[in-house]
Every structure is written in C-alpha cells, then in structure tokens.
Amino acid sequence: MLRRSLLFLSEREGLKNLLLKTRRARSLAARFVAGEDLDTALSVVKGLNDSGFRVTLDYLGESVSRPEEAASATDAYIESLSRIDASEASSTISLKLTQLGLDIDLDLCTSHLERIVTAADACGSFVRIDMEGSNHTAAILEVFGRVSASSRAVGIVIQSYLFRSEEDISNLIARRAAIRLCKGAYSEPASVAYQRREDVDANYVHLSRRLLSEATATEMVAGVPPVAIATHDDAMIEQARSFADAHAVPAEAFEFQMLYGVRRDVQAQLVNSGYNVRVYVPYGTEWYAYFMRRMAERPANLLFVARAAVGD
Ligand SMILES: Cc1cc2nc3c(=O)[nH]c(=O)nc-3n(C[C@H](O)[C@H](O)[C@H](O)COP(=O)(O)OP(=O)(O)OC[C@H]3O[C@@H](n4cnc5c(N)ncnc54)[C@H](O)[C@@H]3O)c2cc1C
C-alpha cells in the first residue's frame, strides 16, 4: 500500500515541484544521485573504479513528450560517452527509452538509440536499456530487437515480477542478448505481475538460474558479461553465488549490479570476495521520479518524504 502510494506520487507533478525546492529533499536525494552534472558524476565514477567497481552511468530523465527533449537527451548521452572515453574513469551507460522519445514515436526513438549505440561501439563502450512500466515493455523490446540486430553493444533488462518475463527471457537467450535481471520497480496490476514478494523472489531465483546456466554461451561485449544479477537482496545474491559455484559458471560470465547509495557494505563484500560488481550511478537534475522509486523500495522511507515535503 505504502509502496503503491509512493509510486503513484512518483508520477505527480505537484509533489515534484514541492520536493525539488526543499533542501531536505535534495540532501536525501544526494544519497542516491551522484550529482547534477557530468563532471561531478565522473569524479564519483573514478572513485568507484579505484575501489574495484565497474560502473554504469545514467543521465536522469524519462517520459519526455517533446521531440526537442528526446534529441537533447540523445546528445547528452553521446557527449557523456565521449567524455568518459577521454577521462580516466571507466563506465558504460544506462538509459530509458521514454527519455529518447518512445512515447512520441517508435521510429524517432529507434534512430536516437541507434546514434547512441553507434557512438558507444566506436569508443568500445556499451548501452543498457533500462526496463520501464509494463505499458512500455513490448515497445522497449521491439526497439531493442531492431537496434541489437546490427550491434552487440546494447543490452536489455528483464523484471522478475512480470508474468511475461519467462517467455521474454527465452527469446532473448536464443538471440544471445546481454540481460540484466531485476525484480521490477513500478506499480503493476495483478493482471500482468506477481503481487506477493515470495512470488517475485521465486521467479527471480528461477530466471537467474536460467540466465546463469546459459551465461557461457554468450560472449562478453566491451567487458560487459552476458548476465547481470541486479539486486540488493541477500537471499537473491546468495542463491546466485551458490548456483554459479555448483555449476562452475566462471566469475567473468556474470556480474552483480547494485544502485549507487544502496547496501554499500554488500557491494564492498562482493568485490572483496572476488566478484564483479557494477554500480548504477545516476546523475542530472531530473532526479525526482528515480528518487521516489528508491523511496518506494523501503516503505520506512515514507516518513522521510513526508518530512521533506513539509520543508527544511
Ligand atoms: C543495477 C540495478 C538496475 C536496475 N534497473 C531497473 C530497471 O531497469 N527497471 C526496473 O524496473 N527496476 C530496476 N531496478 C530496481 C529493481 O527492480 C528493484 O526495484 C530494486 O533493486 C529493489 O529490489 P531488490 O532486488 O534490491 O530487493 P528488495 O527485496 O527490494 O531489497 C532487498 C534489500 O535491499 C535494501 N534496499 C533495496 N532497495 C533499497 C532502497 N531504495 N533504499 C535502501 N535500501 C534498499 C533493503 O535492505 C532491502 O531489504 C534496478 C536495480 C538495480 C540494482
């Protein structure tokens, strides 16, 4: 219930305008967001690299409705790829297709993604397409299918809460796609998604095992392994570790992925145990929806949001 309320609020402009103005909200968001500009984000990336982490950078933004916004986000991603390439930092990028105009026109979005993937290919990098709400799943997979037909420098995300994910994973494995598996961060109806935590987790275990079983059949692209286990859940991490051990899945065939600012202790423990860990680092001024999804993942956070909304 609390989770749904926070996810509902993540799409409301009124609270957004209120929170963006309060100092308390901005400082709460700073735990999850590396900074508002690329320079600040790159210094965070470098620090993480120095501590043994791989990184993927996300330029925050989603659900744009004007073609100029989609074009400008595309330019920002191309610039970030060239700035990363010229810097001492090492990072791939993650993006949302609604930020590239998916809600405006599928062809427009495809051509923006093609430009970004071509730029990534040219500098030996990689683009991960984040998965969004279930009303976008089919279109996101369609655009991924089109662009991945001509470049391998692009990967996709699958959510274990969706009923359709089993079939999607079968199709993607057949095409040797690079897949990040997460539980899913949006509010979804019972007609398309598991509602009980136990069911989402059981499907996560099932799908992660399928992916790990196939991991060695797909080669690495730009240092990115074919399988990413994206979770902060100890039980999900532990089962993936033991399955990989028991089935001799080599450490380079998969990586763990976690969000910037979440379970830093676990991130460090995994790196210290010899696992590859990639941290998802968002930056930019459009942090509101991302931040509210992070709040929704821990219902205890509702109090923080309420305090932030009433002022500093
Ligand atoms: C690298 C990465 C990329 C992702 N990409 C996508 C995507 O493309 N599409 C999508 O729908 N979702 C994405 N997600 C979000 C994901 O779907 C979940 O909503 C999120 O990871 C929480 O689920 P969990 O697996 O960590 O398990 P949970 O059971 O939710 O959490 C396990 C434990 O982790 C800690 N924790 C988790 N979240 C938080 C938080 N926000 N604040 C503080 N502690 C927390 C808590 O201790 C919690 O008990 C991504 C997650 C990661 C790690």
Side-chain angles (χ1 to χ4, degrees):
M1 178 61 193
L2 286 178
R3 177 174 178 270
R4 279 198 189 279
S5 310
L6 284 167
L7 290 174
F8 173 78
L9 290 172
S10 75
E11 290 166 13
R12 298 274 96 59
E13 284 294 310
L15 184 63
K16 172 178 172 179
N17 295 334
L18 186 64
L19 280 188
L20 287 179
K21 283 191 208 119
T22 73
R23 205 158 16 110
R24 195 195 284 265
R26 293 171 87 94
S27 76
L28 260 181
R31 172 180 161 190
F32 300 102
V33 177
E36 296 207 337
D37 58 67
L38 183 56
D39 284 325
T40 316
L42 283 177
S43 68
V44 169
V45 174
K46 178 72 171 65
L48 286 164
N49 293 156
D50 291 345
S51 304
F53 294 102
R54 300 171 175 187
V55 178
T56 187
L57 257 188
D58 165 41
Y59 172 57
L60 290 163
E62 54 200 89
S63 306
V64 308
S65 52
R66 291 186 297 122
E68 312 84 82
E69 296 173 289
S72 143
T74 304
D75 292 343
Y77 270 112
I78 291 171
E79 190 207 338
S80 75
L81 282 163
S82 90
R83 293 277 312 283
I84 295 165
D85 194 32
S87 77
E88 289 181 1
S90 164
S91 179
T92 60
I93 59 170
S94 287
L95 52 75
K96 292 187 174 46
L97 291 187
T98 62
Q99 187 183 14
L100 304 186
L102 188 68
D103 293 333
I104 305 168
D105 180 59
L106 202 84
D107 292 338
L108 174 86
C109 176
T110 305
S111 78
H112 285 329
L113 180 66
E114 272 165 355
R115 279 186 61 213
I116 297 171
V117 172
T118 303
D121 233 344
C123 59
S125 190
F126 183 85
V127 180
R128 178 78 62 179
I129 302 174
D130 288 343
M131 190 49 79
E132 304 184 56
S134 62
N135 52 330
H136 289 110
T137 311
I140 290 172
L141 288 168
E142 164 70 22
V143 175
F144 169 72
R146 290 186 191 179
V147 177
S148 61
S150 56
S151 172
R152 298 195 48 73
V154 59
I156 189 78
V157 177
I158 290 292
Q159 299 151 322
S160 73
Y161 63 18
L162 289 188
F163 301 146
R164 61 173 291 160
S165 292
E166 169 93 55
E167 196 179 333
D168 288 336
I169 275 196
S170 299
N171 295 335
L172 291 164
I173 286 175
R175 297 175 46 191
R176 294 164 54 241
I179 301 171
R180 172 202 292 156
L181 181 66
C182 65
K183 290 188 187 179
Y186 297 80
S187 180
E188 298 293 359
S191 53
V192 300
Y194 296 107
Q195 304 294 307
R196 296 185 329 147
R197 187 192 159 90
E198 308 86 276
D199 296 331
V200 177
D201 288 358
N203 202 34
Y204 195 98
V205 171
H206 170 65
L207 297 177
S208 60
R209 291 179 177 183
R210 279 201 65 191
L211 290 175
L212 287 168
S213 304
E214 301 284 342
T216 48
T218 302
E219 71 278 12
M220 197 164 328
V221 179
V224 177
V227 178
I229 304 295
T231 180
H232 316 94
D233 184 338
D234 291 328
M236 298 302 111
I237 293 168
E238 200 37 55
Q239 66 81 26
R241 285 175 70 159
S242 23
F243 185 87
D245 281 351
H247 296 81
V249 182
E252 63 272 15
F254 68 100
E255 65 186 17
F256 289 105
Q257 293 192 354
M258 296 191 205
L259 301 176
Y260 179 71
V262 179
R263 308 272 341 244
R264 289 186 183 155
D265 53 338
V266 180
Q267 298 180 7
Q269 279 160 19
L270 284 170
V271 165
N272 293 337
S273 308
Y275 289 98
N276 295 311
V277 179
R278 190 177 301 273
V279 182
Y280 182 108
V281 175
Y283 76 97
T285 53
E286 292 294 317
W287 48 261
Y288 174 75
Y290 178 87
F291 168 70
M292 291 297 282
R293 286 196 293 275
R294 301 298 73 82
M295 292 293 101
E297 281 152 7
R298 272 188 87 220
N301 291 338
L302 184 61
L303 194 59
F304 292 123
V305 177
R307 282 206 192 118
V310 293
D312 298 39

